Amino acid sequence: MAEFSWHHYSAEESLKKLNVSQAGLSSEEIPARMEKYGRNTLPSAKKLTLFKIILNQFLSPLIYVLLVAAVVSIALKEYSDAGFIIAVLLINAIIGAFQEWKAEAKASALEQMIKLKVRVKRDGRSFVIDGEELVPGDIVILESGNKVPADIRIIRQNNLTAEEAILTGESLAIDKLSEPLEKENVPVAERFNMLFAGTTISTGRGTGLVIATGKDTEIGKIASSLKELSIGKAPLVKRMEKFTKRISIIILLAVILLGILGYYSGIPLRDLFFFAVAVAVSAIPEGLPIAMTVALSIGASRMAKRNVIIRKLTAVEGLGSCTYIATDKTGTLTVDQQTARAIVLPDNQVFSLSGEGYNGEGKIKNENNSEVNFEATEDLRKIISSITICNEGELFKSNSDWSYSGDPIDVALLSISYKGNSSPKELLQNIEKISEIPFESARQYAAVYYKENGELRIAYKGAVEKLRPKINEEKYRELLEESVRYAQDGYRIIAVGGGDVDEVKPVEELPEMEFLGFIALIDPLRPQAKPAVEDCYRAGVQVAMITGDHPATALAIAREIGIAKGPDELISGSELEEIITGGEDKFRETLRTKHVYSRVSPHQKQLIVKALKETGHFIAVTGDGVNDAPALKTANIGVAMGYGTDVAKDTASIILSDNNFASIAAGIEEGRFTYANLRKIIYLLISTGAAELLSIGMALIAGLPLPFLPVQLLWLNLVTNGIQDVALAFEAGEKKVMTQKPRKPDESIFDPLMIKQTLVSASVISMLAFGLWYHLLNNLNYEESTARNLILLLMVLLQNFHALNARSETRSAFRIPLSNNYILIIGILAAQGIHILAMHIPFMQELLSLDPVSGGEWIKLFFTAALILVAMEIFKLFHRKRGIN
């Protein structure tokens, strides 16, 4: 059936092909066809169960390392160590699962779960059935406002237009016809005698033959093809995988190296196993999974407040990593509502119109920017009256809400009367319509014969060319030049005519009439779109527009918004196809210079995204239609619109609840804030873990006992430091992130700056800890347990001060307002307070080998620990002065 070109054959041949008459299928035929073709439903992504979401929290290399550590601890009968680690894994899974489950619930809430009803003819009778029960061969009756339930070959139509943006990207309604098309090889967007599942009837009525249902429809084919695509990994996942591998290797090498040293130092074999556990515990950042999950959850919550819904936590940071955004136009950069912007009269007088969208809010203003009503001049009154009379739409205000129906252009034209302090009802009260000529693409105009005060008149709207015989040559040339200027700026031009006539002419014959002027309409930019694009460029993120719209419209919008400067940056789908056949190298080279892609097919959009990824970009793609789904899935980050199709939303990892490009820019900022906070957390955990490792190594080399027990290291890493690293996730972002270039796609979390500050801080902390350990044991002859108690308290204080260092990698801790993160200050006090409390609780004393300390000892340790703050302030000052990384 797929090979048959339905658009190329007549309605009669199509009916014959499916063995059906215009009376419809018989009831007896339905079961057999249902069994052959299946129910009329699209393949959809399986909804994640709570169990699956929880399981996903354990699928991380870092989690695997912790699981191994837990198993080793159990094998060594260190049940307290194992208990700590298992508790961490469970807490992390609960937090992550809750956040992702909440995101899934929000995504599901955006979906419209309304069952589609459709009117069919069966057994010669007409009745309504569920859309899922349709089969190929059914005769369907459709009218304005109906959702198209399947792919349909039009048999009969009257003024039928359909809005097909979800499939083709074309923002305006498409005129439909019933005659066969001359060419057999025609793209979907140009099959004017076909209707496609998921699209909407804008105007008119039609009867059609169902030729494909479910997975066999054009939308179904796209949805099915998604199963063959793998979802691109989020940047954070890639970086964390690389980070975890390196940490694992470092841990293994450290354990081996220090194990060898311990063996030759005469440590018994059993003790050496415990020592190996202590070393591994020191090096593994056990608190990182929880802190990371919390940081991502906070980022997701902050994004939600800015209309960005995160479906998978790892995507939070994804937008912040993007180097390239491929955005659609309609509804994302524009408001997706045709709006009249100017009225141009024959004497070249221009009236501007404010407001936007399908409502009557706004004003008519003259060239002096003064507000006028529709009767300001006789010519203005005539043109507004004509576009109101020759109109099949409806627009009215009910209470405080505007309601509308009909063709978007008709609705936009009706809004003009309201802006002129009138209304369609007022303008039509003395009008008697005699005969109507509905708009058809072949005619390129619509007209209405009417009587007003007993006089027969005509109102016309349509193409300028059709009025040419009625206008003198000079006036026509002036009109054409002016309309071309508007068209080049992306406006749609509607010429208006009218006047007295002697008789009602045949449909194809226009009478002599007066040219009344033209209306310039456009789908206007969202007010926030241009500043958002500028923000992206400042942040070093390239922006391109990929749309199914007309090249002139696409380029005009791109120019206005700042995405492109001239035609050399525009390429159409047909031009692109020729370049694709020329080879990958030529294709990629073309992408370097093009920023506006018009009349692009879903497959071409996917190829563009794939090629950009292969050139090294982390790419975010926006879309709302089924046609966008393959590109959304191929991209590093897929961004679906909240009003978009379920297929697009199921495919994407991010959903914009307000469908606004400005929210993407906000998402980039929040993503960068989140990544910066993750770096702070990793820096705090790795530097303190490295300090513990160095302390153990120095003690071993010096022939001293281990300064920390394994359970004490877990206490440091999971409890005292764990409170602080989670609190760091709440740090307010630094606004400078949106003036920095995106991170390189292959950049490691451990860049030169992170490495240097980790080495410096870990060295200072370990020398302070080891120095005190040596002093207490060798100079003051403290008992090992007493000295270890003091060293543990010192390490907690060092962590407290170092958390203040971690608030910024470059700014002084004294220059960051406490108001940026009160939670961290509370966290530092809580970490210290919990440790002091543990020193006084018998159970904790026994578990951690703790004892209370005097106030004098605490003060001495406090000022000793403060040296880490001094050391890192000096490091930051040196870094800022030298401007090095």
Side-chain angles (χ1 to χ4, degrees):
M1 232 169 71
E3 292 77 19
F4 191 77
S5 302
W6 301 95
H7 56 273
H8 181 61
Y9 293 92
S10 67
E12 291 73 20
E13 289 172 302
S14 298
L15 289 165
K16 186 177 180 182
K17 178 72 177 176
L18 282 173
N19 193 27
V20 64
S21 72
Q22 293 196 26
L25 294 169
S26 67
S27 301
E28 291 78 18
E29 292 179 88
I30 304 301
R33 297 204 181 207
M34 183 67 75
E35 185 177 349
K36 181 178 179 180
Y37 299 111
R39 294 186 72 79
N40 182 30
T41 57
L42 287 178
S44 60
K46 288 184 179 178
K47 298 298 179 185
L48 284 176
T49 63
L50 183 58
F51 175 76
K52 179 68 174 173
I53 290 174
I54 293 171
L55 186 63
N56 286 343
Q57 308 310 310
F58 293 92
L59 304 179
S60 160
L62 189 58
I63 299 297
Y64 303 153
V65 172
L66 288 177
L67 284 170
V68 171
V71 170
V72 170
S73 298
I74 292 170
L76 294 173
K77 298 183 179 179
E78 291 295 316
Y79 299 119
S80 57
D81 295 359
F84 267 117
I85 294 171
I86 291 169
V88 166
L89 295 175
L90 290 175
I91 293 169
N92 177 68
I94 290 167
I95 295 172
F98 174 74
Q99 182 62 42
E100 290 194 16
W101 179 258
K102 194 166 66 172
E104 280 297 311
K106 285 182 181 178
S108 297
L110 289 169
E111 297 175 5
Q112 294 186 0
M113 305 300 291
I114 300 172
K115 270 200 169 184
L116 187 64
K117 299 287 186 180
V118 60
R119 181 170 292 280
V120 299
K121 283 182 73 176
R122 289 179 178 174
D123 297 318
R125 295 184 297 111
S126 170
F127 52 92
V128 176
I129 63 170
D130 282 339
E132 292 184 4
E133 296 176 11
L134 280 178
V135 293
D138 263 322
I139 303 297
V140 176
I141 302 165
L142 296 166
E143 59 184 27
S144 176
N146 288 164
K147 202 88 167 176
V148 180
D151 284 4
I152 292 169
R153 170 63 169 88
I154 299 167
I155 298 172
R156 291 188 302 277
Q157 61 84 28
N158 181 17
N159 192 30
L160 189 67
T161 65
E163 193 272 303
E164 299 179 342
I166 68 158
L167 187 63
T168 66
E170 174 63 66
S171 60
L172 293 174
I174 307 299
D175 300 314
K176 294 296 180 177
L177 46 85
S178 57
E179 292 78 16
L181 302 182
E182 188 176 330
K183 293 182 181 178
E184 190 167 354
N185 187 20
V186 176
V188 170
E190 297 174 18
R191 296 177 190 173
F192 303 121
N193 56 7
M194 299 280 294
L195 295 170
F196 299 100
T199 62
T200 305
I201 303 300
S202 297
T203 62
R205 296 169 297 283
T207 302
L209 169 69
V210 174
I211 56 96
T213 57
K215 60 181 175 54
D216 297 319
T217 62
E218 291 299 324
I219 280 179
K221 291 173 189 174
I222 296 172
S224 298
S225 70
L226 294 176
K227 296 178 181 178
E228 301 170 11
L229 298 176
S230 58
I231 299 175
K233 286 183 179 179
L236 181 63
V237 173
K238 293 182 178 181
R239 291 189 173 102
M240 288 309 297
E241 285 177 353
K242 187 185 295 184
F243 166 74
T244 305
K245 286 176 184 176
R246 290 180 178 178
I247 285 293
S248 301
I249 292 169
I250 290 170
I251 292 169
L252 183 61
L253 291 175
V255 169
I256 292 171
L257 179 61
L258 294 179
I260 292 170
L261 286 172
Y263 178 76
Y264 283 107
S265 298
I267 299 175
L269 198 58
R270 187 178 185 283
D271 292 343
L272 200 58
F273 274 113
F274 287 111
F275 169 71
V277 171
V279 171
V281 167
S282 297
I284 297 171
E286 292 92 349
L288 183 55
I290 289 179
M292 213 175 106
T293 302
V294 170
L296 293 174
S297 297
I298 292 166
S301 297
R302 288 175 174 175
M303 284 188 174
K305 291 175 182 176
R306 302 178 79 171
N307 303 307
V308 182
I309 296 174
I310 301 297
R311 297 190 65 210
K312 193 166 181 62
L313 278 184
T314 50
V316 170
E317 183 269 344
L319 278 177
S321 291
C322 284
T323 61
Y324 199 105
I325 298 174
T327 177
D328 56 359
K329 176 187 74 69
T330 306
T332 307
L333 298 173
T334 66
V335 299
D336 193 20
Q337 293 191 341
Q338 290 296 316
T339 302
R341 275 282 177 257
I343 301 173
V344 182
L345 300 181
D347 59 1
N348 294 325
Q349 191 175 3
V350 179
F351 292 89
S352 62
L353 298 134
S354 60
E356 64 183 37
Y358 303 141
N359 58 69
E361 309 296 335
K363 299 294 180 182
I364 301 176
K365 296 183 179 181
N366 60 23
E367 291 169 323
N368 297 321
N369 206 34
S370 300
E371 294 179 11
V372 298
N373 63 32
F374 83 106
E375 294 179 318
T377 71
E378 180 62 16
D379 287 344
L380 184 62
R381 186 194 65 78
K382 284 181 180 179
I383 193 171
I384 293 176
S385 295
S386 281
I387 59 174
T388 305
I389 294 166
C390 186
N391 198 300
E392 293 184 69
E394 285 189 9
L395 178 66
F396 56 90
K397 195 171 186 178
S398 177
N399 296 323
S400 59
D401 296 324
W402 288 91
S403 299
Y404 62 89
S405 63
D407 183 84
I409 297 296
D410 277 346
V411 176
L413 295 175
L414 287 179
S415 72
I416 298 175
S417 62
Y418 288 105
K419 295 175 184 181
N421 297 322
S422 184
S423 69
K425 184 178 180 181
E426 183 180 332
L427 292 174
L428 294 173
Q429 62 183 355
N430 294 321
I431 302 299
E432 179 191 356
K433 292 186 179 182
I434 305 300
S435 176
E436 297 185 46
I437 305 172
F439 183 89
E440 286 189 7
S441 55
R443 279 197 293 268
Q444 294 186 301
Y445 69 84
V448 171
Y449 289 91
Y450 66 96
K451 281 189 176 181
E452 184 178 21
N453 300 323
E455 298 291 329
L456 183 64
R457 291 175 178 158
I458 189 171
Y460 164 99
K461 71 172 189 292
V464 177
E465 295 81 0
K466 293 296 177 179
L467 281 174
R468 186 172 184 178
K470 322 302 173 188
I471 310 169
N472 68 58
E473 194 64 31
E474 183 180 349
K475 178 57 66 180
Y476 174 74
R477 198 160 42 249
E478 288 178 9
L479 167 66
L480 199 59
E481 287 173 1
E482 187 67 15
S483 65
V484 166
R485 278 195 291 273
Y486 274 95
Q488 287 174 341
D489 288 334
Y491 288 89
R492 184 181 177 94
I493 303 302
I494 303 295
V496 185
D500 296 334
V501 292
D502 297 327
E503 60 179 340
V504 175
K505 296 277 188 179
V507 171
E508 301 301 333
E509 187 180 340
L510 279 174
E512 293 284 337
M513 71 181 82
E514 181 184 0
F515 168 62
L516 301 177
F518 67 80
I519 313 292
L521 302 101
I522 199 168
D523 179 7
L525 279 179
R526 288 181 177 270
Q528 314 94 327
K530 188 173 183 178
V533 170
E534 291 170 354
D535 286 344
C536 289
Y537 283 132
R538 271 195 299 273
V541 181
Q542 295 184 47
V543 183
M545 179 197 294
I546 303 180
T547 178
D549 256 348
H550 190 279
T553 304
L555 182 59
I557 293 293
R559 274 174 159 164
E560 186 177 354
I561 207 168
I563 290 176
K565 294 179 180 177
D568 56 326
E569 296 177 67
L570 167 72
I571 189 168
S572 68
S574 56
E575 294 170 324
L576 201 61
E577 196 61 39
E578 293 180 16
I579 293 168
I580 291 170
T581 57
E584 290 186 6
D585 291 341
K586 186 178 179 183
F587 180 49
R588 288 176 188 165
E589 188 59 35
T590 301
L591 297 185
R592 295 181 188 277
T593 59
K594 305 301 178 185
H595 298 104
V596 186
Y597 303 85
S598 69
R599 295 285 196 225
V600 171
S601 71
H603 179 61
Q604 289 173 336
K605 185 170 183 176
Q606 184 188 4
L607 288 178
I608 293 168
V609 173
K610 184 181 177 185
L612 288 167
K613 282 178 66 179
E614 289 170 352
T615 58
H617 280 294
F618 271 143
I619 182 167
V621 173
T622 74
D624 57 1
V626 175
N627 60 319
D628 297 314
L632 289 172
K633 196 164 186 178
T634 302
N636 294 98
I637 300 292
V639 183
M641 303 297 114
Y643 70 84
T645 61
D646 290 350
V647 174
K649 286 184 283 189
D650 285 343
T651 305
S653 51
I654 291 175
I655 299 173
L656 301 186
S657 60
D658 64 347
N659 315 309
N660 196 334
F661 184 86
S663 296
I664 300 175
I668 290 174
E669 184 175 53
E670 290 294 346
R672 291 187 176 187
F673 289 164
T674 300
Y675 184 72
N677 286 348
L678 284 171
R679 278 178 61 89
K680 293 165 188 173
I681 292 166
I682 291 169
Y683 165 46
L684 177 65
L685 290 174
I686 297 300
S687 57
T688 52
E692 293 161 8
L693 197 63
L694 288 171
S695 300
I696 291 171
M698 285 189 281
L700 192 63
I701 293 169
L704 297 175
L706 298 180
F708 308 104
L709 300 176
V711 71
Q712 290 176 336
L713 290 169
L714 280 170
W715 175 258
L716 287 170
N717 292 354
L718 297 179
V719 182
T720 57
N721 216 20
I723 293 171
Q724 297 178 151
D725 59 40
V726 168
L728 269 175
F730 290 87
E731 193 71 30
E734 299 179 48
K735 293 298 180 182
K736 68 177 184 178
V737 297
M738 286 302 280
T739 60
Q740 297 170 342
K741 291 182 179 179
R743 295 177 293 282
K744 292 180 180 178
D746 57 351
E747 179 185 296
S748 170
I749 289 174
F750 270 95
D751 60 3
L753 175 58
M754 174 88 77
I755 293 169
K756 288 172 186 174
Q757 64 186 1
T758 299
L759 289 174
V760 171
S761 58
S763 298
V764 172
I765 293 170
S766 61
M767 284 189 290
L768 289 170
F770 171 73
L772 181 61
W773 179 243
Y774 184 91
H775 179 63
L776 293 173
L777 293 179
N778 287 0
N779 298 335
L780 301 180
N781 298 316
Y782 273 47
E783 288 186 8
E784 189 178 310
S785 60
T786 304
R788 190 173 281 124
N789 184 52
L790 291 172
I791 290 298
L792 189 61
L793 176 57
L794 174 64
M795 187 58 76
V796 174
L797 285 164
L798 283 164
Q799 289 177 344
N800 295 156
F801 280 108
H802 196 39
L804 296 174
N805 289 326
R807 296 186 70 191
S808 174
E809 296 182 61
T810 55
R811 292 175 70 192
S812 166
F814 299 103
R815 296 183 65 86
I816 305 172
L818 293 181
S819 59
N820 276 17
N821 194 354
Y822 284 126
I823 293 175
L824 178 62
I825 308 305
I826 295 169
I828 291 171
L829 295 174
Q832 183 61 209
I834 286 172
H835 187 75
I836 292 172
L837 194 62
M839 289 191 295
H840 290 83
I841 298 173
F843 168 73
M844 298 303 294
Q845 288 175 338
E846 185 178 348
L847 178 67
L848 298 172
S849 302
L850 296 178
D851 288 301
V853 300
S854 67
E857 287 176 313
W858 187 89
I859 291 171
K860 289 177 184 177
L861 293 174
F862 177 87
F863 284 107
T864 301
L867 292 174
I868 183 60
L869 188 60
V870 175
M872 294 314 295
E873 284 296 306
I874 294 170
F875 172 83
K876 289 179 183 178
L877 180 64
F878 176 76
H879 169 76
R880 289 195 299 272
K881 285 189 174 181
R882 294 289 299 273
I884 59 175
N885 290 315

